[in-house]
Amino acid sequence: MLDGYEMTVGLEIHVQLDTDTKIFCGCKNEFGAEPNHHTCPICLGLPGTLPVLNEKAVEYIVKAGLALNCEINTFSKFDRKNYFYADLPKAYQISQFDLPFCEDGHVMIQLEDETEMKIGITRIHLEEDAGKLNHAGEGIASSDSSLVDYNRVGTPLIEIVSEPDIHSPEQAIAYLKKIKSILEYIGVSDCDMSQGSMRADVNISVAPTGSDELGTRTELKNMNSFKAIEKALKYEPKRQIKVLESGGEIIQGTLTWDDEAGKTIPMRSKEEAHDYRYFPEPDLVPVIVEQEWVDGIEDSLPELPDARQKRYVEELGIPEYDAMVITADREMADFFEAVVKEHNDAKAISNWIMGDFSRLLNEESITIAEVKFKPADLAQMLKLMDEGTISSKIAKTVFEEMFATGKNPDTIVEEKGLKQISDTSELEKIIDQVIADNQSALEDYRGGNKNVFGFFIGQTMKATRGKANPGMVNKILKEKLEG
Amino acid sequence: MELYQLTAHQLHEKLVNKEVTAREITESIYNRIEAVEKDVKAYITLTKEDALKQADKVDEKIANGEEIAPLAGIPIAIKDNMSTEGVKTTCASQILHNYKPPYDATVIKKLVAEDYIMVGKTNMDEFAMGSSTENSGFSKTANPWDLTRVPGGSSGGSAAAVAAGEAIISLGSDTGGSIRQPAAFCGVVGLKPTYGLVSRYGLVAFASSLDQIGPFSKDITDCAIALNYIAGHDEFDSTSANREVPDYTASLNQDIAGMKIGVPSEYFGDGIDQEVKDAVWAAIKKLEELGAEYEEVSLPHTDYALSAYYLIAPAEASSNLARYDGVRYGLRSEEAKGLVEMYKNTRQEGFGDEVKRRIMLGTYALSSGYYDAYYKKAQKVRTLVKQDFDKAFEKYDVLISPTTPTTSFKAGAKKDPLEMYLSDICTIPINLAGIPALSMPCGLDSNGLPIGLQIMGNHFGEEKILQVAHAFEQATDFHKKQASL
Ligand SMILES: [Zn+2]
């Protein structure tokens, strides 16, 4: 795709942890409250206040580290990252510099060609989130004033730093989705990108294929949609190659992604980059965690997507791809398994989940938690199909009705009169009528044009509003048409 | 004797015996303030109205036959770098000239629970950076013993307030000597407790790994009483020690026979005034008379302490003081256009020269490329200084030295910052090591100025320090000498 060049992508994924309270004070960790409602002297950084570490945040990052196959540092510490900005009340962020909680992890990703790939994770560290600025104008520079909302200050944040193992937009997205999936599984974050609880800084560089060294990189900060990241990753390497091919040089620096224009725009160059003057946070003592405690967390981890996918393929016999898609979303997989418990045809269930169910979720843009019908309803619907009470075509109608109203399939079939017509004499009567109404088609058929058989099937289904048992219609029609 | 001249334990007895009321005590203090404050300038803010209300509450309790705490009804002054709810907390800086905190520091909460009476907030070197209280952004405090001289610093206001009878007890903070040096200059008792013994929550940070709150008092008993009420674990301060706090008054009146005193020779070098050395040696001999044994000891890394301190403290300060940016509270420059200019102008207008100097020093020491050579190396020196003390305390119960190289100097005499820094040479190593140390009067020099005796203890060795100090106090009458103002 990139003739003669290879791209390398580094991702720093920021994920807000779903703790009840903030990382260093007792304020509620909650999105969407009135501005500055969830604040106190500590998270506002008022003179004299001190941070006290929320143990739950440590538990969550250790959980994340274990789920992402990291080594857990039982001795860890916090450092101050110093920089001035109006959303940062202390003018430093409490973060971790040289002793993060987690190091040296990895995840496996699957690509469309069904190959597997290992993406390394350099480290995961814990830090506090900053506040939010609302500028009166376009940006901070062009605004007469800006308002600051400190609700988000002190939200526990983990930063997951990848190794330079990613070399295509597809790999990057698969990696991001895998991280999101795993963190949702272990329940440490809702990873809701639209609310900013998951966002990524993306480093991009290109180098001639086979080169040992990475090229000069540019960085896109605070990307919060997979689509935008994918588009940017398709655009930026080509731009860099163009610059290099025309004898130019890549300038290391931060870019912003203009989604409308579909291109990257330079923000600031390295010359203006911060010297963060990291030093150990004197207001917090180093964190020492017991190995036993870490082991306990490891034991409590739920079955993760990879293991679940493997089990679905091996034990339930569903296709690899279906298993991957279903297990990527914990809620989806939980739903799937709940149906499997009630009905033994996993393949049929997976077809429905992958097909109409996913389509409707998408169309209505709702989550699984918001779905009106129960897993048992889907199982019951499949049972009605197996029993021949409804045809697969009618099932589609029943399913849509279930999705729209939450009614159970028996009620729907009953109310709408959707029961399949499998009564031979009834069907014969209907088919006789259809043939009687279409004499010229009958002649065609008997004249050797077998293609009109489909026409008769269609007419019969129309006459029964789709309720006719397709197998029986086929059989009876054949007999009658052959005469 | 006027009421303002008494100690807290004497006043407590009088309160309990209904000889005086808390209102009378409080009024005595404010009358004294009326008389001398124009010369001493110990306070930035006075809170008379609330103080009298509080006094009446205590009197009501006494009248109702309720038991009162040892510090109930006792007028206490608070250094202006401790957060007091609804009362301006300026750190003697223009950048916080109008800042009223919405919360009380932990030490204030503890004193409030004791029914103490806050007299007001005392003057200091801006953000506790200085050794003379000349760096205040508002006014200069004078030494009650000689108004042409400095009270020391940075807690000069708190020391002067007690020395001048404008408070019975006061609280200060000590990062490199800011309690002990002014205590020595003003002829009062000042204790810097072990790092972690007293909560720092609500103490506006200068250098977080060194700052510690402690009391000023007229005698050792009051020091022990005050320490009883401010010490203890605080869940709001992760660096506060989680250990049982003893009753510090229990160690008073105990025999010091057989106690081992180390006398570190590095603290009696060329830079130390002969009169100061003589007075300290006389005190050591006095303790020997009382049955203690002494021996000279070497703390070989003492010479490097000052340099290490002036890297570590400014480094932490450069980060701690970054929050004063004009965005949320305090001063905001009115001239500025745009965010960056607002930062620059606000900090340019709001900070004094010494604060700016230390912010620049600290920023430089932490910069990439210099971190290893300065900050990291200073931390290694700090460890060596601490090891010197650890070794010494394997052998000795306490160490004794002068608190300061000289007695109080004339206002305006030290123009060179380095010269000023040297006045903390005997106190700084103690902060680096995190150990406790107390300064108490041990004589007057030929100018009639108080000389300070420094007693250092091992980590959480406050009881031994107080024991020795009390024995010395009982055997001498230096503590009875008061500034003739
Ligand atoms: Zn808060």
Side-chain angles (χ1 to χ4, degrees):
Chain A
M1 190 174 86
L2 308 169
D3 217 9
Y5 287 88
E6 185 180 52
M7 69 186 288
T8 300
V9 180
L11 287 162
E12 290 168 15
I13 309 175
H14 291 94
V15 178
Q16 292 180 336
L17 298 180
D18 225 346
T19 52
D20 292 339
T21 56
K22 293 185 179 183
I23 184 168
F24 297 125
C25 67
C27 287
K28 237 179 161 184
N29 173 24
E30 188 184 70
F31 179 83
E34 283 284 295
N36 296 307
H37 182 68
H38 294 313
T39 57
C40 72
I42 298 169
C43 55
L44 290 175
L46 293 187
T49 55
L50 298 170
V52 174
L53 179 60
N54 180 346
E55 279 176 34
K56 204 75 190 170
V58 178
E59 184 189 319
Y60 278 13
I61 188 175
V62 168
K63 227 178 199 178
L66 291 168
L68 299 173
N69 305 298
C70 290
E71 300 293 327
I72 305 300
N73 285 326
T74 48
F75 183 93
S76 186
K77 71 171 173 76
F78 288 93
D79 301 272
R80 289 189 187 175
K81 180 180 180 181
N82 296 283
Y83 65 95
F84 287 94
Y85 206 55
D87 64 4
L88 195 67
K90 299 189 295 293
Y92 58 81
Q93 179 191 30
I94 302 179
S95 181
Q96 297 193 287
F97 185 58
D98 55 345
L99 282 173
F101 280 102
C102 317
E103 286 182 281
D104 211 8
H106 68 268
V107 289
M108 300 303 295
I109 60 168
Q110 281 144 324
L111 303 173
E112 263 164 44
D113 61 7
E114 301 215 338
T115 54
E116 266 209 329
M117 214 185 137
K118 185 173 170 176
I119 308 290
I121 291 169
T122 314
R123 56 182 275 160
I124 311 175
H125 67 252
L126 184 58
E127 60 190 21
E128 55 182 340
D129 208 345
K132 245 183 185 162
L133 295 182
N134 295 302
H135 306 302
E138 276 289 294
I140 195 160
S142 61
S143 297
D144 284 340
S145 67
S146 301
L147 296 171
V148 204
D149 177 3
Y150 290 113
N151 279 345
R152 201 177 72 178
V153 167
T155 298
L157 204 60
I158 56 174
E159 182 176 322
I160 305 164
V161 182
S162 72
E163 288 283 299
D165 295 339
I166 299 167
H167 301 292
S168 76
E170 190 203 350
Q171 292 166 14
I173 299 303
Y175 169 75
L176 281 160
K177 285 187 172 164
K178 196 55 172 278
I179 297 281
K180 182 174 189 284
S181 159
I182 291 171
L183 296 180
E184 284 170 352
Y185 258 70
I186 58 174
V188 299
S189 175
D190 62 13
C191 294
D192 187 333
M193 297 187 83
S194 66
Q195 293 187 354
S197 49
M198 178 172 174
R199 46 197 202 261
D201 295 345
V202 186
N203 295 310
I204 308 158
S205 65
V206 297
T209 308
S211 162
D212 288 341
E213 279 172 45
L214 296 177
T216 306
R217 62 174 207 217
T218 54
E219 188 174 25
L220 291 156
K221 288 216 179 261
N222 272 323
M223 302 288 284
N224 60 0
S225 108
F226 289 157
K227 271 197 185 115
I229 293 172
E230 191 172 6
K231 279 197 264 177
L233 285 176
K234 282 180 178 159
Y235 172 86
E236 177 62 11
K238 286 185 185 151
R239 183 193 71 84
Q240 291 185 6
I241 291 166
K242 218 184 265 173
V243 171
L244 292 173
E245 294 276 283
S246 61
E249 231 181 275
I250 305 299
I251 303 160
Q252 183 167 346
T254 305
L255 310 172
T256 47
W257 172 248
D258 184 335
D259 207 43
E260 259 170 56
K263 59 181 193 178
T264 54
I265 301 162
M267 215 162 100
R268 54 170 186 244
S269 68
K270 210 210 168 193
E271 283 75 48
E272 297 163 60
H274 292 112
D275 175 358
Y276 291 120
R277 288 174 283 118
Y278 279 100
F279 75 102
E281 167 57 274
D283 289 332
L284 291 167
V285 291
V287 184
I288 298 163
V289 298
E290 303 285 332
Q291 187 57 48
E292 260 176 50
W293 181 75
V294 175
D295 294 343
I297 290 176
E298 187 155 28
D299 291 342
S300 74
L301 286 179
E303 185 186 31
L304 295 175
D306 284 351
R308 210 169 195 184
Q309 182 182 337
K310 197 164 166 245
R311 180 164 63 83
Y312 284 7
V313 173
E314 286 173 3
E315 291 176 21
L316 300 177
I318 68 170
E320 187 86 40
Y321 178 76
D322 293 15
M324 184 186 83
V325 173
I326 291 172
T327 55
D329 181 345
R330 184 179 182 170
E331 285 187 335
M332 179 83 91
D334 287 347
F335 194 96
F336 169 75
E337 278 191 42
V339 186
V340 169
K341 241 184 215 160
E342 311 267 341
H343 187 78
N344 59 13
D345 189 353
K347 179 76 190 77
I349 297 165
S350 117
N351 284 342
W352 279 96
I353 298 262
M354 297 282 293
D356 292 65
F357 190 47
S358 297
R359 175 180 60 82
L360 288 169
L361 285 174
N362 246 330
E363 282 173 12
E364 306 291 322
S365 52
I366 61 168
T367 65
I368 290 181
E370 293 164 317
V371 168
K372 291 181 179 144
F373 69 88
K374 304 270 162 304
D377 295 330
L378 178 53
Q380 177 62 18
M381 188 195 89
L382 293 167
K383 204 171 135 208
L384 292 177
M385 281 174 75
D386 288 353
E387 290 167 356
T389 311
I390 54 173
S391 65
S392 59
K393 197 159 174 240
I394 289 295
K396 223 172 150 71
T397 312
V398 173
F399 188 83
E400 279 174 9
E401 188 66 15
M402 266 164 55
F403 195 93
T405 63
K407 287 182 181 164
N408 76 50
D410 292 324
T411 311
I412 294 167
V413 169
E414 182 66 38
E415 278 179 6
K416 299 218 156 190
L418 294 174
K419 203 164 178 238
Q420 183 161 263
I421 303 166
S422 302
D423 182 77
T424 311
S425 61
E426 198 183 341
L427 281 175
E428 278 182 341
K429 235 172 36 200
I430 293 163
I431 287 169
D432 285 343
Q433 189 59 48
V434 167
I435 292 172
D437 291 347
N438 295 285
Q439 281 302 315
S440 61
L442 178 68
E443 278 160 30
D444 282 356
Y445 184 87
R446 292 194 171 150
N449 182 4
K450 304 291 181 202
N451 287 338
V452 290
F453 187 71
F455 167 78
F456 281 105
I457 298 248
Q459 289 303 307
T460 311
M461 283 303 175
K462 200 175 164 192
T464 59
R465 287 186 294 129
K467 291 182 292 182
N469 183 321
M472 291 176 73
V473 171
N474 217 342
K475 186 165 161 269
I476 297 167
L477 254 179
K478 217 162 223 157
E479 286 166 10
K480 300 237 176 218
L481 290 174
E482 296 294 341
Chain B
M1 279 266 240
E2 298 286 337
L3 289 175
Y4 69 77
Q5 290 176 301
L6 301 179
T7 62
H9 57 94
Q10 287 166 335
L11 290 168
H12 178 69
E13 222 178 283
K14 286 187 188 297
L15 280 171
V16 173
N17 295 336
K18 299 188 179 171
E19 290 168 45
V20 296
T21 63
R23 180 170 263 271
E24 283 165 355
I25 296 171
T26 309
E27 277 171 348
S28 168
I29 288 289
Y30 282 104
N31 289 340
R32 177 66 176 168
I33 289 172
E34 190 92 3
V36 302
E37 176 63 6
K38 62 180 190 311
D39 295 324
V40 179
K41 299 198 186 78
Y43 288 95
I44 291 173
T45 305
L46 288 165
T47 49
K48 186 173 178 181
E49 222 175 284
D50 285 342
L52 289 171
K53 269 188 219 156
Q54 180 61 27
D56 290 342
K57 260 207 228 151
V58 174
D59 287 332
E60 220 177 285
K61 276 194 178 178
I62 296 168
N64 290 339
E66 285 176 51
E67 205 174 310
I68 58 160
L71 292 178
I74 305 298
I76 296 179
I78 307 295
K79 189 177 181 180
D80 210 22
N81 62 352
M82 288 170 223
S83 190
T84 44
E85 189 179 339
V87 177
K88 267 196 304 186
T89 300
T90 69
C91 296
S93 180
Q94 287 296 339
I95 214 158
L96 287 176
H97 70 102
N98 57 357
Y99 171 63
K100 280 188 184 169
Y103 78 103
D104 272 339
T106 297
V107 286
I108 302 298
K109 276 199 189 120
K110 289 187 172 197
L111 290 173
V112 167
E114 282 286 292
D115 292 324
Y116 92 121
I117 290 167
M118 181 165 84
V119 184
K121 304 292 292 289
T122 59
N123 198 18
M124 55 188 281
D125 285 300
E126 184 178 2
F127 284 104
M129 296 176 185
S131 311
S132 66
T133 315
E134 291 171 293
N135 293 338
S136 166
F138 302 116
S139 63
K140 293 177 172 50
T141 300
N143 190 320
W145 293 76
D146 176 350
L147 296 172
T148 68
R149 291 176 187 269
V150 301
S154 66
S155 312
S158 285
V162 171
E166 296 182 81
I168 303 301
I169 288 175
S170 64
L171 290 189
S173 67
D174 190 319
T175 306
S178 283
I179 290 174
R180 291 158 289 155
Q181 186 254 19
F185 279 14
C186 292
V188 296
V189 174
L191 171 71
K192 182 208 95 76
T194 307
Y195 184 80
L197 182 65
V198 179
S199 168
R200 290 187 296 116
Y201 187 76
L203 170 66
V204 182
F206 159 17
S208 316
S209 73
L210 300 157
D211 297 342
Q212 186 64 194
I213 293 172
F216 288 95
S217 60
K218 291 172 191 162
D219 70 2
I220 300 299
T221 306
D222 273 11
C223 179
I225 292 170
L227 186 59
N228 271 350
Y229 291 99
I230 60 172
H233 178 64
D234 180 11
E235 59 175 3
F236 286 100
D237 178 358
S238 310
T239 62
S240 95
N242 199 350
R243 67 201 316 273
E244 198 69 38
V245 175
D247 174 5
Y248 291 103
T249 60
S251 59
L252 308 178
N253 291 317
Q254 279 180 28
D255 197 359
I256 62 161
M259 267 191 125
K260 289 190 173 61
I261 295 169
V263 182
S265 41
E266 287 81 2
Y267 288 70
F268 292 82
D270 289 343
I272 314 294
D273 222 56
Q274 194 56 45
E275 280 190 280
V276 171
K277 283 187 209 172
D278 292 348
V280 172
W281 271 114
I284 294 165
K285 300 283 181 196
K286 187 79 198 170
L287 290 168
E288 191 183 24
E289 273 174 41
L290 296 171
E293 298 159 17
Y294 77 87
E295 212 171 68
E296 288 203 44
V297 58
S298 175
L299 303 172
H301 296 96
T302 304
D303 284 354
Y304 308 106
L306 193 74
S307 316
Y309 175 88
Y310 275 100
L311 288 168
I312 294 167
E316 292 181 9
S318 72
S319 173
N320 284 329
L321 271 63
R323 71 190 66 191
Y324 309 112
D325 55 10
V327 173
R328 291 159 299 274
Y329 47 80
L331 182 78
R332 176 188 288 183
S333 170
E334 286 174 7
E335 299 303 309
K337 288 187 190 71
L339 184 69
V340 174
E341 208 177 294
M342 181 179 91
Y343 288 157
K344 286 183 176 170
N345 291 9
T346 299
R347 292 166 71 78
Q348 166 63 32
E349 292 164 27
F351 288 138
D353 288 348
E354 184 59 29
V355 172
K356 284 178 193 155
R357 183 178 296 121
R358 296 202 197 185
I359 289 174
M360 286 189 280
L361 255 175
T363 304
Y364 184 77
L366 290 176
S367 298
S368 85
Y370 299 99
Y371 180 87
D372 286 355
Y374 294 120
Y375 184 81
K376 211 168 171 186
K377 205 170 202 175
Q379 290 292 8
K380 283 182 184 161
V381 171
R382 183 178 188 169
T383 304
L384 294 172
V385 169
K386 188 174 169 292
Q387 283 168 354
D388 278 359
F389 282 109
D390 289 346
K391 233 174 118 190
F393 285 114
E394 282 172 14
K395 211 168 163 193
Y396 306 105
D397 295 300
V398 294
L399 301 177
I400 285 185
S401 77
T403 309
T404 55
T406 65
T407 53
S408 170
F409 46 86
K410 291 271 185 190
K414 300 207 174 184
K415 298 261 188 278
D416 178 3
L418 268 181
E419 212 185 305
M420 187 71 90
Y421 295 171
L422 284 168
S423 64
D424 290 330
I425 195 142
C426 300
T427 47
I428 274 174
I430 283 89
N431 297 78
L432 288 178
I435 57 171
L438 173 143
S439 178
M440 67 189 296
C442 69
L444 299 175
D445 72 358
S446 44
N447 290 320
L449 297 168
I451 296 169
L453 176 76
Q454 179 168 243
I455 309 174
M456 313 164 219
N458 203 353
H459 287 97
F460 304 103
E462 277 81 359
E463 287 167 285
K464 273 188 188 165
I465 292 177
L466 290 167
Q467 187 185 346
V468 173
H470 192 250
F472 179 73
E473 183 186 78
Q474 294 307 301
T476 57
D477 52 11
F478 300 116
H479 67 288
K480 289 180 186 147
K481 294 200 168 69
Q482 295 193 350
S484 55
L485 195 63

